[in-house]
Amino acid sequence: MMRTDGYLLDNRQAEAGPRFDALAAVFDPTTFRHLEGLGVGPGWRCWEVGAGGTSVVTWLAKKVGPTGRVLATDIDTSWVEPAARQPVEVRRHDVGVDQPPGEGFDLVHARLVLLHVPERERALHSMVKALRPGGRLLVEDADPALQPLVCPDEHGPAEQLANRIRQGLRTLLAERGANLSYGRRLPRLLREAGLHRVEADAHFPIASPAGATLEAATVRQVRDRLIAARLATQEEVDRHLTNVASGAMDLATAPMISAWGRKR
Ligand SMILES: C[S@@+](CC[C@H](N)C(=O)[O-])C[C@H]1O[C@@H](n2cnc3c(N)ncnc32)[C@H](O)[C@@H]1O
């Protein structure tokens, strides 16, 4: 049995699908830019950790072509399964607990995964271990503590409510062991894990239609738990979703920090 209960944004919920689509819309351009920069191309062997949906895996499959390999792992593979055709293999795997699912990878990538994994240190070492010498690691993680507001311009009641609900989401994440300041640590952690040529940057939209879609998908997915924990009322969640749908709010995400380096 894989443990999925500790993970707040559980893939078994129907709302996970729209949320993966929204994550792709917000973050794929940044992820693909970094992957291009690392040189991913024909014949590469890649491990996509905590794959979630299909967008990154499908993009990697096109890049590596029929001579390459893309191994997509997750504790719950239901949303990535549709991408499982040559050169993509999908496997259930807990990156915090299980041995690496192979070695000699040219690229290992995880986006928005390690901050949720209680054994994130072990997971990172497992990912480094799976690389060939010279192989590239790209780890991308949010740092909600660096920029905690969904509405940095908190100028009215709708924005105040949005920020209160975002605070509730952070409380739920922290209760489940998520590290809400993990992203900023990545360059140091990659260096300490023995990688060289380590660099990092950050990306987050301050206002975008994709950001609004992501906010709505996330709040729909956690609404019952926000209400059960008395972090928001049903009426407040409904009002917030109506405010988001109006298109009149500028909605930011937490910064996503991308850090990359090479194994010696
Ligand atoms: C926020 S989603 C991100 C999905 C995808 N990487 C993306 O950026 O769109 C986190 C994903 O990590 C997976 N996950 C959580 N804990 C995990 C673990 N211990 N091992 C492997 N995957 C895990 C979840 O099931 C989920 O699919």
Side-chain angles (χ1 to χ4, degrees):
M1 265 289 283
M2 286 276 168
R3 51 177 190 154
T4 51
D5 291 350
Y7 176 50
L8 178 68
L9 296 144
D10 188 342
N11 293 7
R12 286 173 298 184
Q13 297 169 283
E15 296 87 351
R19 188 157 180 280
F20 287 141
D21 292 343
L23 287 172
V26 175
F27 293 120
D28 276 2
T30 303
T31 294
F32 296 164
R33 176 169 57 80
H34 288 114
L35 291 171
E36 295 268 15
L38 292 174
V40 61
W44 276 42
R45 293 152 296 165
C46 307
W47 175 20
E48 179 66 21
V49 180
T54 57
S55 70
V56 174
V57 168
T58 303
W59 186 91
L60 282 172
K62 280 201 188 102
K63 287 283 169 188
V64 305
T67 58
R69 177 183 184 217
V70 180
L71 176 62
T73 61
D74 203 296
I75 47 171
D76 180 339
T77 55
S78 26
W79 296 95
V80 70
E81 210 68 61
R85 78 185 74 87
Q86 201 34 38
V88 177
E89 182 196 340
V90 172
R91 211 185 285 179
R92 272 167 58 119
H93 177 270
D94 186 330
V95 72
V97 173
D98 299 329
Q99 287 298 312
E103 53 186 32
F105 287 100
D106 301 293
L107 170 79
V108 176
H109 173 237
R111 185 177 75 190
L112 303 171
V113 178
L114 293 190
L115 88 159
H116 298 292
V117 177
E119 311 83 2
R120 54 189 72 83
E121 192 179 340
R122 184 174 169 183
L124 188 59
H125 281 93
S126 173
M127 290 160 60
V128 172
K129 190 174 166 199
L131 287 169
R132 68 163 168 82
R136 275 74 152 167
L137 179 68
L138 174 62
V139 184
E140 303 182 292
D141 253 307
D143 193 321
L146 199 58
Q147 196 299 100
L149 303 175
V150 66
C151 293
D153 178 22
E154 194 185 71
H155 70 94
E159 287 75 16
Q160 287 161 10
L161 174 61
N163 283 338
R164 199 148 51 73
I165 287 178
R166 176 60 63 94
Q167 169 62 45
L169 171 63
R170 280 201 303 281
T171 301
L172 292 177
L173 285 166
E175 280 173 5
R176 282 161 181 78
N179 183 334
L180 302 182
S181 58
Y182 189 61
R184 73 190 72 174
R185 300 169 200 218
L186 287 172
R188 175 173 57 81
L189 295 176
L190 263 56
R191 263 197 323 279
E192 288 175 359
L195 299 190
H196 70 132
R197 298 178 65 175
V198 172
E199 293 180 50
D201 64 16
H203 165 77
F204 68 105
I206 299 287
S208 74
T213 307
L214 179 58
E215 173 65 8
T218 304
V219 170
R220 282 199 190 96
Q221 194 166 353
V222 296
R223 68 177 300 150
D224 291 349
R225 280 179 248 199
L226 283 168
I227 293 163
R230 297 179 187 275
L231 291 163
T233 65
Q234 176 114 28
E235 185 277 326
E236 285 171 332
V237 172
D238 289 341
R239 184 150 41 95
H240 174 55
L241 288 171
T242 303
N243 292 339
V244 170
S246 76
M249 296 173 83
D250 295 324
L251 296 158
T253 68
M256 184 180 71
I257 301 197
S258 304
W260 60 95
R262 294 184 188 195
K263 188 168 174 176
R264 289 180 196 278

